[in-house]
Amino acid sequence: LWSHPLGFVLGHNWTISSNKINNFRYGFTRQAFSNQGDSSENNISFRFVYSPRRFVRTLSRITETHNFTDDFTWLKGNHTMQFGGNVRIVRNKRSSLGSAFDVAVANPSFYNQSGAVLDGAITAAGYTIGNGQNSIVQNAASALIGRFSQYSSNFTFDIDGSILPSGTPSIRNFATEEYDVYGQDTWRPFSNLTITAGLRYSLSRPVYEKNGFQVVPDTPLGDFFDRRVASAAQGVPLNDSINFVLGGSANNGPGFYEMDKNNFQPRVAVAWSPDFEGGFLGALFGSEGTSTIRGGFSITNDAFGQQLAVSFDGLSTIGFTSNSGISANTYDITGCNGPVSAIGTPPCAPLFTGFNQDVRSLPGIPAPVQLFSTPADESQRIQTSLDATIVSPIHYVWNVSYGRNLLKGMYIEASYVGRAARNLFATRDIMALNNLVDPVSGTDWYTAAGIINQLTIAGTNVANVQPIPYFENLFPGLRFGGQPTATQSVYLINQNFAGSDWTFLQSILDDRGSVRNYFFHPQYAAFSAFGTTASSDYHGAAVSLRQRLGDTLTYDINYSFSKSIDNASGLQTGASYGSQFILNALRPEDNRSVSDFDARHVINANFILQLPFGKGQMFDTNGMTLDFFLGGWQLAGVYRFNTGLPINTPFQAGRWATNWNISSTAIRTAPLNIQYNRGTQNIFADPQAALNALRAPGPGETGDRNAIRLPGYQSLDLGLTKNFKLPWNENHKLQFRWEVFNVTNVQYFTSSTRSRTAWGIGTNPATATAATDAQGNFLFGKILDSIQGSPRSMQFGLRYEF
């Protein structure tokens, strides 16, 4: 990482008169860095098994910000009025190799039947796979076969549409301008009462690419999503195509999103110092200046960051970048190039011949063509975009606090803070698979497939499966395996091919109804888009005790108890299918739970103790020599404790119940006993019991989000300081420092990876046996593979002052 930031500020303070002051500032910052990648060749790897590189690509960026601010203050009587403005001009120049190379992966999940053909071939040969180890076998088998079940080529184009050579960086210059104005009045009607009220207004120009490298959907994706949902509720899939057009001011086209002009941000605050001479109120609040009661309310808006445009440009495969790849379930391991079965037997995947292999010559990769519309060829693509319906995130914040001076310089304060945030940034799948409703019976897919799920778990014989109107009405001619009804055919297809991978079952049934594409949009199987669809609520209480004026000891002790709830916790910098992804866009509230960063209890404290030895101290040394050695010692410390952060329950390995790209998580059927076994680094006290206390997610289910907490954390840092007064000059001092971080050296585990082996479940965990290693140690639940904080360390310093 090479980094070279710089910045400077120029200011002018103008005292216009005795009661009027103007303050002007101009600031310039330039953040410049280059994050060098580890590879400049095609990304060839064996998923879950081996990758020769991390395949991090070089990114260089120069971000320049010009900032103009002006604040005018006018004192008039007991009013202090302020007016001002802020102008920011931002330019973000980027050079990225993120889309300059191709990708080929031996991916077990991309094989036919979502990888079930791999372990299915082994069990069909008469071998037995231990419970809970199917995904392990799939990973190994895919690597041993050594064929690319997933690959894609990345093409980049110049502004005139010409193809750029492989390895050419994408150069972009994103820009925006932001404007703020405000007015505020602080009124002191009494000496012990202050009332502040103000209004701020913000305007932010939508981010644009200065040179014209900008494409946008021709219809807002949020509106398109709403139309799809409404149509599916009527039993009709909406399969209109999404096209893209050149956007931005350089192309005289539409922006990434509309300018939000409704960003009025009022606020009000009150501070009161009660003045009671006696009685109960006098004892509680004291005289003026002894205690303070504060309260306030504000509405604020977030400005749109450039990360939105940057993410869209780097991840989109339309316009100036093009991605041609193989969709999931394209390749099989048997019947290669043979006759197609009733379900369809795809050919064998191309063979791995070496790293940095030529991906563009593999079958199925067409010649590069600059596209402004993804072909509606049912290739089940997984891509990303940006929703033009976004509006500025809005926050409603309120607080109240009470502070009281105590004896001997002590001060105590209690406070409550609340926040309700709406229109927060998150990503959702605009092409979420249709929860298609049968207009005759009124039943939707989630309900009908849920019945199939329950029959499968119960081990029902296909002959005893009764007709379900949903399947009989929508798939009247479906007959598979000699079954007399469509319902029994679906049940058998699920058993023999889908393996309770409900989105894969939807792909099998997709074109077998009266119309094509019942569930999948013909352009995309998953199309994650950034939008302002998330919300959060926070409530917190805090208590602080401080010793502010102590000669020997000063300290600060703080405790907070809080809860944060949301339906997405990620940032704009996160991946499009990452922590801010709402898994089921059709039922976003299923994702609502405690936030990823929710720490219920937090304690922090610090202190400085002047040891009572030396001249003028409690234990006076009465001598220069003794004072030289015994005086001037100081001990300082910082302590912190917080409860553990939450994580999701285990996910269903190799199965996608709700979304085509992201697996749903398990659902608890009984409480999970969390113990954090240090010996085995396992999060469960009894991994087998924990596995059996879970069930696999059914059709449409998100699973239990953030239902498990990692271990808490605490640390103590201490510093010992000795100041020497040098005899030849009282202005010359020598200071020795010994600082120890994490004094107790206790290691608190956390999780950095959650693999299929340790955190994956099968189709029926209630009856499964938890996977173990050769020594019989449980693999399931073994995710505590890293530590919070750092091991104990010390540092020493010597300082000479003169």
Side-chain angles (χ1 to χ4, degrees), residues 430-751:
I430 297 298
M431 298 302 184
L433 302 188
N434 286 327
N435 183 28
L436 196 70
V437 174
D438 169 27
V440 177
S441 65
T443 305
D444 61 8
W445 161 260
Y446 292 160
T447 302
I451 298 173
I452 297 291
N453 184 32
Q454 294 302 318
L455 293 171
T456 303
I457 293 174
T460 306
N461 187 286
V462 66
N464 297 325
V465 174
Q466 299 301 310
I468 299 173
Y470 183 90
F471 299 109
E472 303 303 322
N473 295 335
L474 294 182
F475 305 95
L478 182 62
R479 297 294 182 268
F480 176 76
Q483 300 305 312
T485 69
T487 303
Q488 290 173 324
S489 297
V490 171
Y491 182 78
L492 202 60
I493 290 172
N494 178 56
Q495 282 192 323
N496 293 348
F497 294 96
S500 295
D501 182 347
W502 302 109
T503 57
F504 182 54
L505 179 60
Q506 285 177 292
S507 72
I508 296 174
L509 300 176
D510 198 38
D511 294 333
R512 299 183 181 276
S514 58
V515 298
R516 297 179 66 87
N517 306 119
Y518 260 160
F519 305 106
F520 284 75
H521 189 273
Q523 288 180 299
Y524 306 96
F527 198 42
S528 173
F530 284 92
T532 49
T533 56
S535 63
S536 69
D537 292 283
Y538 171 86
H539 299 278
V543 178
S544 298
L545 177 64
R546 301 169 187 148
Q547 169 56 265
R548 300 181 293 182
L549 304 175
D551 294 329
T552 302
L553 175 66
T554 60
Y555 57 81
D556 191 344
I557 304 172
N558 307 283
Y559 166 72
S560 66
F561 172 72
S562 63
K563 186 176 184 180
S564 178
I565 301 175
D566 59 30
N567 56 356
S569 295
L571 302 174
Q572 296 177 40
T573 53
S576 54
Y577 290 93
S579 58
Q580 79 277 39
F581 183 66
I582 298 175
L583 193 140
N584 190 344
L586 305 178
R587 301 194 314 209
E589 290 308 301
D590 289 1
N591 226 53
R592 189 169 175 82
S593 182
V594 293
S595 305
D596 296 356
F597 48 82
D598 178 65
R600 192 62 47 85
H601 303 277
V602 176
I603 300 173
N604 65 75
N606 59 79
F607 71 91
I608 299 176
L609 173 63
Q610 304 289 344
L611 298 183
F613 302 101
K615 187 177 180 180
Q617 299 296 322
M618 180 184 298
F619 301 100
D620 198 317
T621 50
N622 291 322
M624 182 178 296
T625 302
L626 285 175
D627 184 62
F628 183 84
F629 290 101
L630 299 180
W633 288 95
Q634 175 182 286
L635 181 66
V638 177
Y639 172 79
R640 177 181 173 87
F641 165 83
N642 62 264
T643 49
L645 298 178
I647 60 173
N648 292 339
T649 53
F651 61 91
Q652 191 174 24
R655 300 289 185 272
W656 291 262
T658 301
N659 184 268
W660 185 244
N661 191 42
I662 302 296
S663 296
S664 299
T665 57
I667 298 169
R668 294 162 295 169
T669 58
L672 298 176
N673 188 1
I674 310 298
Q675 184 173 308
Y676 318 123
N677 191 314
R678 291 183 63 87
T680 61
Q681 296 183 21
N682 202 297
I683 198 171
F684 298 120
D686 185 343
Q688 181 62 59
L691 177 63
N692 298 148
L694 302 170
R695 72 167 177 84
E701 290 187 316
T702 297
D704 289 347
R705 175 175 175 248
N706 287 345
I708 296 174
R709 289 203 178 254
L710 290 168
Y713 175 74
Q714 62 178 330
S715 67
L716 174 64
D717 302 333
L718 293 176
L720 185 64
T721 303
K722 173 66 171 81
N723 291 302
F724 298 91
K725 295 181 180 179
L726 300 180
W728 53 84
N729 191 317
E730 63 179 10
N731 293 323
H732 287 236
K733 298 178 182 178
L734 188 66
Q735 183 186 81
F736 169 75
R737 300 180 67 90
W738 174 27
E739 296 172 333
V740 184
F741 302 94
N742 191 2
V743 173
T744 60
N745 201 32
V746 177
Q747 309 305 324
Y748 298 93
F749 284 117
T750 188
S751 172

